[in-house]
Amino acid sequence: MSRIELVALALVSAIIFTGFPALAATTEELTRQPDVTHVSVSPDGRYLAMVRSDASRDTLIIFERPLSEDSVTSGVTSAERERFSIVNWISNDHLVVEPTTTLIGRRRPTGAMFALGVSGERTRLLGRSDKATVLESALVAILPDQPDSILIAAHGVCEPQVCTEEELRERRLVTVNVRTGRRDPVAESAPIAGYFVSDPNGRTVYTAGPTEEGTVEVYRIAEGGVWERLEAFSLPGVGQVPYFVSMSGITYGLTNNVGTADLARVDFRAGTSDALLRNEGSDVNGRIATYGNHALLAVRTDPGFPQWHYLMEHPFVETHKRLRAAFPDGDVELTSITRDGSTAVVRIFGPRNAGDFYLVDIEAGSYSLLAKGQPWIDSATLPVAEPVEIVARDGFVLRGALTQPVGSGTHPAVLLLNAWPNMSSKGVEYVAVAQAMASNGIAVLAITHRGSAGFGRQYRIPERDPDGQIIQRDIADGASWLVERGVADPNRVCVLGEGYGAYAAIKALTVSTNLFECGLALSAHLQPEDVRKADDQWIPITAQTTLNPPSPLDLADDRRSPVDRISNVRGRILIVDPDGRFETLVTALRERGVGSQLSRTPPSIDQILEFLVAGEGPQNEPFIERLSEPQRTLLRGVLNTVRTEARGFAPQRRVRERQVRRYLESLVDEHDAEVSRFLADEDWPEYERYKQQLVDELIADLNIVFVN
């Protein structure tokens, strides 16, 4: 049997056995890639497209309904390490597929695009490109009036042998025939590197994006394929950008009048807008539309848990409301809907469910399970993950998702960091490592620190503090919150991250030396410039990132690298180093007696759990934890004052560490009289010992390069 036949048989078998109860999942099964990652229905309702994933590649199968192993019409397998994450029906008999790659949890289109017919014919539409402007998708409009053509934002519309670097980067709007691959430009090259928005027929087309001068510009195609500028505004500043254009000609935009990217009806020529949403706690980050984007039905915000805002009456709107009521612990995502609006496929997902697919009969108001993403898991048995709010030391409210083990009392705990500095943690998503840890008795807090995307201007890193120090304070406040709430054993708190999260985790061990018993740095970047370079290459241009661009983290100064402050590390540390760059670092840690492990390959979840539970870890502040609540509150108030005063220390010349240490010791001692009013005499010796730890922490926080 061919691979396509084998995968089709596996899919049909999985669907047949979907109704059987799952057994208790092992730790490895909790972190296993979902079997089925996409299901969609053709515009006429005749076919279903399904994507089955394994460890290294995806296979896309087209079935004729009803499903059986004999109803397979065609299929295709991805290249090694590529995924079919972007799949769209563009006619009754053709799909368009954009392969993607994944780096540490972030998806990036490869630049390639091909059409797949239900009879198996395949047409190359775009080749791979690592130079083109990164968009979420190159598909701009389906063009129902031209059934064999689509409107796309193509790259490399030039002679490949003589293309300039600029031509390789820029996107140009073209219509492309999905049967022949023929491309016809519809406009001159766009004047900016932006994203594109069009009505379904390609008659009203916008582009918007940032310029090198720090402004945002909005253009529309005028007669003759010439781009006409409609709007320009400076950042940070207030403006509006296009988001959706309906078949009836209504233009919806996103505006940032109150900080977040909110929805409005806009008239770019008149410069006016009519607000539909305002200050919902997050940027608009999802939508529901009818087939071919004829009408916008609803948009989503996520201020901690998904909130849907319905814009008009429609049969699917009522269906969506019923589905959300039936699955209150997660979210309902529309993958596809038929042209006549009678049938749809939805994906139900949540913190205990990586994604199940349902076929919906909209007219009858019923739905039936098509495929489970992880049929081997009984989601009802998994620990509950809930959105939480954490008040930082400066009063700012941070968001996060807490997954707790079953049972009362404190637990070992892990602070899970974003893999990218401008990424955000969403409590409604299934986080495999969090479920695996919580199922093994470890509490997990996925914290959304400042700088994370999706929450508007208020979440940006201030220009006066662009080097990650606020992020580190947010991480420390998250760990303290776990202890104060009685979730975490104060001696067993660890920090874990991949990519930028690995960088931030190691830095946390060098800054918050008394909070963390251990750290895990997976797929680590230890030099700041590596973090910045990776982030720039993987953030797509969207309406949201154009309106509220990522925080400008200034990570160019090597002094801010944790490598140069590694002498502060006290807790155990595990570093994944596939390239052999950090052997010297780990050797130095071992020479200092710090428990350090170096792995060439990514550890299994069982190895991670073994590392986490191995520590004894009296690294925290036990004497504070056994004070009364009023005493703890008063003492933390004093400590926050000391930290604020210490940050005001800015030497005009390079100094010796002992000079700074004497200054900080005297600064701390100045508050002894205040502390003595509420601290008992028997606690004073331990407080004196803690003051030395506090001075060490303040020195680390000041980030000073000392004279030897």
Side-chain angles (χ1 to χ4, degrees):
M1 296 180 72
S2 69
R3 178 182 175 88
I4 300 298
E5 292 171 323
L6 287 171
V7 171
L9 179 60
L11 278 170
V12 173
S13 300
I15 292 168
I16 291 173
F17 290 102
T18 287
F20 286 66
L23 301 175
T26 65
T27 300
E28 183 179 356
E29 287 173 332
L30 289 171
T31 56
R32 178 176 150 190
Q33 168 84 15
D35 269 0
V36 182
T37 56
H38 175 86
V39 182
S40 58
V41 64
S42 62
D44 60 0
R46 183 178 175 183
Y47 300 98
L48 285 173
M50 306 181 75
V51 175
R52 190 174 194 272
S53 297
D54 60 27
S56 62
R57 63 181 71 214
D58 281 357
T59 301
L60 169 64
I61 307 288
I62 299 178
F63 293 89
E64 188 170 13
R65 296 174 60 197
L67 268 67
S68 74
E69 60 181 291
D70 297 322
S71 68
V72 176
T73 67
S74 66
V76 64
T77 298
S78 73
E80 188 80 11
R81 302 299 173 188
E82 288 187 2
R83 299 293 180 187
F84 292 151
S85 303
I86 307 173
V87 179
N88 290 285
W89 285 98
I90 54 93
S91 67
N92 292 338
D93 57 4
H94 270 83
L95 286 161
V96 166
V97 182
E98 298 176 71
T100 62
T101 57
T102 302
L103 177 63
I104 319 177
R106 178 165 274 172
R107 186 183 77 183
R108 184 182 194 273
T110 64
M113 174 187 281
F114 66 88
L116 177 67
V118 296
S119 300
E121 63 273 21
R122 196 186 329 172
T123 307
R124 179 181 181 271
L125 305 179
L126 286 175
R128 294 173 58 96
S129 174
D130 58 0
K131 297 181 182 297
T133 299
V134 181
L135 304 177
E136 285 190 319
S137 171
L139 180 62
V140 179
I142 289 177
L143 306 179
D145 290 348
Q146 305 175 54
D148 290 337
S149 295
I150 55 176
L151 182 65
I152 66 172
H155 57 77
V157 185
C158 52
E159 293 297 329
Q161 292 78 13
V162 296
C163 288
T164 66
E165 285 292 315
E166 183 177 353
E167 288 174 327
L168 290 173
R169 285 194 302 272
E170 68 184 15
R171 298 272 186 170
R172 189 172 180 183
L173 282 180
V174 302
T175 58
V176 59
N177 187 293
V178 298
R179 298 182 187 276
T180 66
R182 174 179 171 175
R183 297 187 297 186
D184 295 303
V186 300
E188 61 186 14
S189 297
I192 53 173
Y195 68 97
F196 298 87
V197 176
S198 172
D199 74 306
N201 283 316
R203 297 190 180 102
T204 301
V205 186
Y206 297 97
T207 186
T211 68
E212 295 182 356
E213 291 73 30
T215 62
V216 168
E217 295 182 348
V218 179
Y219 292 82
R220 178 177 173 174
I221 296 181
E223 292 185 8
V226 177
W227 290 99
E228 173 191 9
R229 193 172 80 169
L230 301 177
E231 183 163 337
F233 57 93
S234 299
L235 289 175
V238 174
Q240 54 193 21
V241 295
Y243 179 64
F244 185 97
V245 184
S246 71
M247 179 67 87
S248 62
I250 298 173
T251 297
Y252 296 88
L254 297 184
T255 68
N256 63 352
N257 293 329
V258 294
T260 52
D262 300 322
L263 188 71
R265 289 191 183 92
V266 299
D267 183 333
F268 284 103
R269 292 190 183 280
T272 61
S273 63
D274 179 16
L276 299 174
L277 292 178
R278 182 180 285 270
N279 198 22
E280 293 293 335
S282 83
D283 294 346
V284 168
N285 62 10
R287 69 190 185 203
I288 296 172
T290 56
Y291 171 74
N293 285 340
H294 283 211
L296 184 62
L297 302 181
V299 295
R300 181 184 63 192
T301 57
D302 189 358
F305 195 82
Q307 304 290 329
W308 283 96
H309 310 272
Y310 301 103
L311 304 175
M312 65 176 64
E313 294 183 358
H314 188 276
F316 183 74
V317 166
E318 299 307 314
T319 301
H320 191 263
K321 292 177 181 178
R322 287 195 294 271
L323 287 166
R324 292 200 69 212
F327 300 95
D329 295 333
D331 200 7
V332 182
E333 176 184 78
L334 177 67
T335 73
S336 53
I337 189 169
T338 56
R339 184 180 287 106
D340 63 7
S342 64
T343 306
V345 173
V346 298
R347 174 175 172 258
I348 309 292
F349 65 102
R352 297 194 289 178
N353 178 3
D356 298 335
F357 295 90
Y358 287 78
L359 185 68
V360 181
D361 185 331
I362 299 173
E363 293 179 343
S366 61
Y367 53 91
S368 57
L369 182 61
L370 270 176
K372 293 181 73 66
Q374 297 173 309
W376 55 87
I377 295 178
D378 181 0
S379 60
T381 65
L382 297 182
V384 176
E386 56 182 345
V388 296
E389 292 186 344
I390 300 161
V391 180
R393 67 188 69 179
D394 59 0
F396 189 87
V397 178
L398 303 167
R399 295 177 172 89
L402 176 64
T403 308
Q404 295 194 68
V406 176
S408 58
T410 61
H411 306 275
V414 167
L415 208 67
L416 189 62
L417 306 183
N418 295 345
W420 301 80
N422 298 299
M423 207 171 180
S424 63
S425 303
K426 293 185 174 63
V428 77
E429 294 174 351
Y430 180 86
V431 181
V433 67
Q435 285 294 344
M437 290 180 183
S439 297
N440 285 272
I442 300 172
V444 180
L445 174 62
I447 187 169
T448 301
H449 54 66
R450 270 170 279 195
S452 302
F455 299 103
R457 287 196 300 266
Q458 69 272 23
Y459 237 82
R460 286 172 59 82
I461 301 296
E463 298 290 342
R464 68 180 183 280
D465 188 13
D467 59 1
Q469 293 302 311
I470 280 184
I471 292 176
Q472 284 300 314
R473 290 195 285 275
D474 289 348
I475 292 170
D477 290 344
S480 298
W481 181 88
L482 282 170
V483 173
E484 292 166 2
R485 287 300 179 97
V487 174
D489 177 346
N491 296 321
R492 303 293 299 281
V493 180
C494 295
V495 58
L496 181 152
E498 292 185 86
Y500 171 77
Y503 170 88
I506 296 175
K507 192 168 183 178
L509 293 177
T510 70
V511 174
S512 302
T513 56
N514 299 310
L515 281 175
F516 297 109
E517 188 271 322
C518 73
L520 294 91
L522 312 180
S523 305
H525 294 297
L526 289 190
Q527 290 299 337
E529 60 269 25
D530 294 338
V531 178
R532 188 182 63 255
K533 184 185 300 182
D535 202 50
D536 289 344
Q537 294 173 345
W538 281 73
I539 298 179
I541 297 178
T542 66
Q544 290 86 347
T545 60
T546 297
L547 197 62
N548 288 323
S551 293
L553 295 180
D554 178 11
L555 297 170
D557 189 345
D558 285 345
R559 293 179 301 166
R560 295 165 185 152
S561 170
V563 173
D564 298 315
R565 302 165 68 178
I566 210 69
S567 60
N568 294 339
V569 174
R570 299 179 183 180
R572 300 174 301 120
I573 187 169
L574 168 63
I575 297 177
V576 177
D577 178 23
D579 301 324
R581 293 182 297 170
F582 306 133
E583 287 184 353
T584 304
L585 170 65
V586 174
T587 299
L589 287 169
R590 288 172 179 167
E591 289 175 351
R592 294 188 58 254
V594 175
S596 305
Q597 296 183 28
L598 183 67
S599 176
R600 293 291 187 203
T601 58
S604 68
I605 185 62
D606 288 325
Q607 290 172 316
I608 290 175
L609 291 171
E610 181 181 352
F611 177 83
L612 289 171
V613 302
E616 300 176 359
Q619 298 293 332
N620 286 277
E621 307 165 352
F623 91 98
I624 291 183
E625 299 311 317
R626 61 184 177 80
L627 296 176
S628 67
E629 182 61 34
Q631 286 177 312
R632 285 202 299 270
T633 300
L634 291 168
L635 183 55
R636 288 196 172 100
V638 172
L639 298 180
N640 286 338
T641 300
V642 170
R643 291 187 176 101
T644 300
E645 293 172 347
R647 284 194 290 271
F649 177 68
Q652 300 301 310
R653 56 186 176 81
R654 299 180 72 180
V655 294
R656 298 185 184 276
E657 182 175 353
R658 66 173 177 268
Q659 294 173 287
V660 177
R661 183 173 294 277
R662 279 199 296 267
Y663 168 78
L664 293 174
E665 286 173 349
S666 64
L667 187 65
V668 174
D669 289 343
E670 288 176 1
H671 294 271
D672 281 356
E674 183 180 357
V675 175
S676 66
R677 296 191 186 101
F678 56 83
L679 203 63
D681 290 344
E682 58 267 25
D683 291 323
W684 199 261
E686 198 161 0
Y687 174 64
E688 287 288 351
R689 288 191 294 273
Y690 171 68
K691 287 199 296 183
Q692 293 305 310
Q693 298 175 10
L694 177 61
V695 169
D696 291 340
E697 182 180 332
L698 294 173
I699 289 175
D701 197 40
L702 283 174
N703 206 15
I704 296 174
V705 177
F706 295 112
V707 176
N708 294 328

